[in-house]
Each structure stands twice: as structure tokens, then as C-alpha cells.
């Protein structure tokens, strides 16, 4: 028998502190949690249920979709479309927005998500995740458009990620700190295991895909070069390096023990500002990181202040331990 706080209990208690809260948001979160439990189960079964292949299709960004990208996208939609809290959804795996079908009532929120982050890792049994962000619908709920989603990250009502790792965890913020929950499969509930998560201000650990080094801009070249120089270099400390290729896993590590994660602007593909997508990767993760006391920037601008101009827009991402992110920002100004 568990004796911890369940996530349901936690969000209902949080709702009690918000004057005039209707329970809509709490109920929306419950549907998101259900989707995450279903995805956790599917990802965990893996090859046993024959879902590990390629879907032989491409998403709007020209990336080959895995079967699991398509399946997890469908799970998120089915779990969240019926209850009447949402006006529309948008996802990495859909070219355009998904207005709530006419047979269901429409509500005041927008949901944006990356149903399976790090999906190149599923075949090799390395951690993957789900990232989501909740916004308020700006326009008329009977005619939602992509324009309604063009809100800077500061407008997010809530953001979270699920990490399907050695255990399944859900990490959430609604602007009052960050809390982490672990799925207890025996009872099918997330239990509060990591209250008030905070990121240490300093770190000796960086994460970047070094195979892109020749394409990086000068400030990032400088930062990594100095880190690699170690104790006898200008930073006067030895660094450690990690690269999982699942942003969720990297951000989770940073929340647990500090670090800096960079997917910076590079010249590999001059049509792209970066690799990661603003609305469903950079913004929710930046909200969480800032709420945990960390920082998140493009190198030139706070990510949460970036005004979006496209559903699948990409941005450079530099996030994690505050002092280290500030160092990289200062190199962009030098
Ligand atoms: P997705 O699987 O949702 O497309 O995202 C993968 C992202 C991110 O999670 C990760 O940090 C990065 O891509 C890895 O990129 P590289 O393969 O270029 O290292
Ligand atoms: Mn992703
Ligand atoms: Mn994805």
C-alpha cells in the first residue's frame, strides 16, 4: 500500500488554491495523464506488440515517422478530444492544427505536444519521452486557427514531460515550481516522489551533439573548447559530457543534478534556426527549467519571450544550470 500523494490528489489540492477555478484544467490534466499512462504501457511492451518499425511516412518536417510516433500521437488525441476542455491541438506529427471535432464540446484551452520525443531511440531501448504545453485559446472557440497558437512561452498555463526510462516519471509545472511523480504500475497511479525540483546553479556537465561542431557559431565553439580544456584551461574545472539524443532525458538529468544542454544555431542547414521546435519542445522545457531555477535562452534571447510565427518553427536551445547558461549568453555578446 502506498502512502504518498497521488497526482490526482496533488492537482486537486493545487486547484483549491486558485480562486474561481472551475476544475476544467484539473480535468484536462487528468486526460493528459491517462494518455501518458497508455503511452508508457505501449512503449514498455515494445517489440512484444510489434510496434517498433517505421511508419513509412514523413511528418511535415520531412522526418521519417516511426510507427510509435503515429500511434502515440493518436493516443494523445483520443484521450484529450472528447471531454470539452480543448478548442484545438497541435503536434509534431500533424502538419496543421487539430480542431476538436464537431461532435464534442469545445473548451478554452489549446494543447501542444511532442508525443514521442527521442523516437530515434526506441529501436535501441533507450529512454524516450512525451512533452506537452497548455495555452489559453485566444480566438473564437468555434473557429480555431494556427494563429491562436502563436503565443510566446510566457503565456503557458502548464507544461510537462513524461520520461519513459527505467521508471516512468511525469514532471509538471503550472507556474508554481516543478514537481515530479513516479508511476506505480501496481496501482496505476503517479505518486509525488520529487517535490519542488530545483536545478543547481553551477555545473561541470554539458550535453551537445559534438558531431555538429564544425557547423556551430563562435560563442558555442568557444564555450565547448574552454570546457574541454579542463582544470588548466580558462574555466579552471574538469567537465563531464553526456548526449542521449532524447531531450526529455537530458532535461530530466539536468533537473536531477544540474548541467547544460545545447542544441544551438548552426550552419548545417541554413534554412533552420536550430533543430528543436519552439512550441512543443523548447517552450515547455524552458518553462519547467525556469520554474526550477534554471535558465533557457537561444543565446541571444530568453526562449519564453520568442514570438512564434509558425507551428513547427525551430529555435536554438541553450538551457540548464543558471550560471553556465549565463556564461554562454555572455559569449554571444562578446
Ligand atoms: P524527436 O524524436 O521528437 O524528433 O526529437 C529528437 C530531438 C531531441 O529529443 C534530441 O535532443 C535531438 O532531437 C537529437 O538530435 P540529434 O539526433 O541531432 O543528436
Ligand atoms: Mn522531440
Ligand atoms: Mn517526437
Amino acid at each position: 500500500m502506498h502512502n504518498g500523494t497521488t497526482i490526482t490528489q496533488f492537482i486537486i489540492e493545487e486547484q483549491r488554491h486558485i480562486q474561481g477555478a472551475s476544475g476544467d484544467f484539473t480535468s484536462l490534466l487528468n486526460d493528459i495523464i491517462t494518455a501518458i499512462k497508455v503511452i508508457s504501457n505501449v512503449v514498455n511492451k515494445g517489440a512484444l506488440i510489434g510496434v517498433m518499425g517505421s511508419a513509412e511516412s514523413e511528418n511535415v518536417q520531412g522526418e521519417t515517422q516511426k510507427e510509435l510516433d503515429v500511434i502515440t500521437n493518436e493516443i494523445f488525441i483520443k484521450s484529450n478530444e472528447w471531454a470539452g476542455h480543448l478548442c484545438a491541438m497541435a503536434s509534431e506529427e500533424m502538419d496543421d492544427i487539430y480542431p476538436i471535432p464537431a461532435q464534442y464540446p469545445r473548451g478554452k484551452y489549446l494543447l501542444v505536444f511532442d508525443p514521442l520525443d527521442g523516437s530515434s531511440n526506441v529501436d535501441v531501448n533507450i529512454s524516450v519521452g512525451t512533452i506537452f504545453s497548455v495555452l489559453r485559446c485566444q480566438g473564437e472557440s468555434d473557429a480555431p486557427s494556427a494563429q491562436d497558437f502563436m503565443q510566446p512561452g510566457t503565456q503557458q498555463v502548464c507544461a510537462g514531460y513524461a520520461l519513459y526510462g527505467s521508471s516512468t516519471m511525469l514532471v509538471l509545472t503550472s507556474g508554481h515550481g516543478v514537481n515530479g511523480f513516479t508511476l506505480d504500475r501496481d496501482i496505476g497511479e503517479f505518486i509525488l516522489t520529487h517535490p519542488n525540483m530545483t536545478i543547481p546553479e553551477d555545473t561541470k556537465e554539458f550535453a551537445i551533439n559534438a558531431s555538429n561542431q564544425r557547423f556551430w557559431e563562435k560563442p558555442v565553439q568557444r564555450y565547448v573548447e574552454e570546457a574541454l580544456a579542463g582544470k588548466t584551461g580558462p574555466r579552471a574545472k574538469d567537465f563531464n559530457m553526456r548526449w542521449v539524443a532524447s531531450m526529455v532525458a537530458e532535461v530530466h538529468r539536468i533537473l536531477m543534478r544540474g548541467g547544460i544542454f545545447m542544441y544551438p544555431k548552426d550552419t548545417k542547414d541554413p534554412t533552420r534556426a536550430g533543430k528543436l521546435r519552439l512550441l512543443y519542445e523548447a517552450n515547455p522545457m524552458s518553462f519547467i527549467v525556469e520554474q526550477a531555477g534554471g535558465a533557457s535562452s537561444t543565446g541571444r534571447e530568453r526562449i519564453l519571450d520568442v514570438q512564434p510565427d509558425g507551428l513547427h518553427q525551430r529555435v536554438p536551445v541553450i538551457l540548464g544550470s543558471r550560471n553556465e547558461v549565463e556564461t554562454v549568453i555572455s559569449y554571444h555578446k562578446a
Side-chain angles (χ1 to χ4, degrees):
M1 177 73 187
H2 82 91
N3 55 5
T5 304
T6 68
I7 195 163
T8 314
Q9 192 181 345
F10 180 88
I11 56 181
I12 288 175
E13 280 172 4
E14 265 212 333
Q15 184 201 319
R16 287 195 191 125
H17 299 140
I18 304 167
Q19 251 195 343
S22 63
D24 245 30
F25 175 65
T26 303
S27 174
L28 167 63
L29 263 181
N30 262 320
D31 292 341
I32 293 172
I33 292 162
T34 303
I36 284 168
K37 286 186 206 169
V38 176
I39 295 175
S40 172
N41 194 41
V42 170
V43 167
N44 188 253
K45 290 256 160 41
L48 293 175
I49 53 171
V51 292
M52 304 307 279
S54 158
E56 279 160 18
S57 55
E58 279 190 357
N59 66 16
V60 65
Q61 302 155 70
E63 297 164 342
T64 306
Q65 289 175 306
K66 301 266 182 193
E67 247 176 300
L68 272 174
D69 284 319
V70 177
I71 292 169
T72 53
N73 191 61
E74 200 58 24
I75 291 169
F76 235 74
I77 289 175
K78 289 285 166 263
S79 184
N80 286 293
E81 69 180 348
W82 60 275
H85 313 304
L86 293 176
C87 175
M89 297 184 233
S91 135
E92 176 180 325
E93 306 305 336
M94 297 186 286
D95 301 8
D96 300 314
I97 68 159
Y98 180 88
I100 297 302
Q103 75 255 40
Y104 302 117
R106 282 190 181 156
K108 58 186 177 215
Y109 294 111
L110 298 171
L111 178 62
V112 206
F113 55 95
D114 174 355
L116 199 61
D117 175 64
S119 54
S120 71
N121 277 330
V122 283
D123 316 5
V124 290
N125 208 351
I126 288 175
S127 298
V128 289
T130 296
I131 311 172
F132 66 90
S133 160
V134 177
L135 296 161
R136 280 195 185 81
C137 198
Q138 304 282 311
E140 293 292 316
S141 61
D142 49 351
S145 73
Q147 195 49 41
D148 297 329
F149 289 83
M150 300 302 118
Q151 306 179 38
T154 47
Q155 301 288 92
Q156 293 172 98
V157 176
C158 161
Y161 66 77
L163 174 62
Y164 313 110
S166 45
S167 57
T168 289
M169 281 196 68
L170 176 55
V171 172
L172 271 184
T173 185
S174 46
H176 309 282
V178 179
N179 291 283
F181 304 83
T182 305
L183 182 61
D184 182 338
R185 288 189 191 276
D186 293 341
I187 58 168
E189 272 277 19
F190 278 100
I191 307 295
L192 179 64
T193 47
H194 297 66
N196 297 318
M197 298 171 88
T198 52
I199 299 175
E201 284 187 358
D202 293 296
T203 184
K204 293 179 180 178
E205 195 163 68
F206 69 92
I208 192 163
N209 183 341
S211 70
N212 295 324
Q213 189 200 351
R214 66 194 182 282
F215 303 111
W216 299 336
E217 293 187 308
K218 282 233 163 63
V220 173
Q221 296 277 7
R222 175 182 169 191
Y223 176 80
V224 173
E225 215 170 276
E226 290 181 359
L228 293 176
K231 255 201 179 98
T232 54
R235 301 299 311 280
K237 54 182 177 180
D238 287 333
F239 278 77
N240 189 22
M241 198 203 79
R242 287 287 183 273
W243 188 251
V244 188
S246 283
M247 188 193 199
V248 169
E250 322 270 9
V251 169
H252 189 68
R253 185 185 62 247
I254 289 171
L255 277 161
M256 297 304 295
R257 68 178 189 212
I260 181 167
F261 167 89
M262 291 175 282
Y263 215 116
K265 182 169 156 53
D266 64 36
T267 56
K268 194 175 185 180
D269 176 350
T271 62
R272 293 174 168 187
K275 172 167 187 188
L276 298 172
R277 280 61 53 110
L278 176 61
L279 289 184
Y280 42 82
E281 291 174 324
N283 268 345
M285 290 313 208
S286 300
F287 190 20
I288 292 168
V289 165
E290 283 199 5
Q291 282 294 315
S296 181
S297 168
T298 65
R300 297 178 166 84
E301 187 184 4
R302 181 187 177 210
I303 285 180
L304 293 181
D305 285 335
V306 175
Q307 174 58 51
D309 57 23
L311 278 182
H312 303 286
Q313 169 181 355
R314 297 172 193 263
V315 280
V317 175
I318 297 160
L319 60 75
S321 291
R322 170 164 295 282
N323 291 338
E324 214 62 25
V325 173
E326 294 297 340
T327 301
V328 181
I329 295 173
S330 73
Y331 291 180
H332 281 79
K333 288 179 182 150

